[in-house]
């Protein structure tokens, strides 16, 4: 297993990310995978 650690610049950005994650019932990993998939399909 590989770990990824990120820092968010402030509490406001963290809360925004957490709220989106919770809204869609995702884990942090799931949210990151969805973001990568969306970015890959923008070509």
């Amino acid at each position: 297993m590989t770990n990824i650690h990120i820092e968010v610049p402030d509490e406001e950005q963290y809360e925004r990310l957490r709220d989106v994650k919770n809204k869609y019932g995702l884990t942090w990993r799931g949210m990151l995978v969805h973001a990568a998939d969306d970015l890959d399909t923008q070509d």
Side-chain angles (χ1 to χ4, degrees), residues 17-35:
L17 292 170
R18 183 198 59 209
D19 290 348
V20 170
K21 176 184 77 68
N22 291 340
K23 178 180 178 181
Y24 293 99
L26 298 169
T27 61
W28 287 110
R29 178 188 174 277
M31 190 160 149
L32 184 61
V33 170
H34 275 282

Side-chain angles (χ1 to χ4, degrees), residues 1 4 7-8 12 25-27 29 35 37 39 42-43:
M1 175 180 277
I4 298 172
E7 293 182 24
V8 290
E12 184 177 318
L26 298 169
T27 61
R29 178 188 174 277
D37 289 346
L39 290 167
Q42 288 183 5
D43 293 338

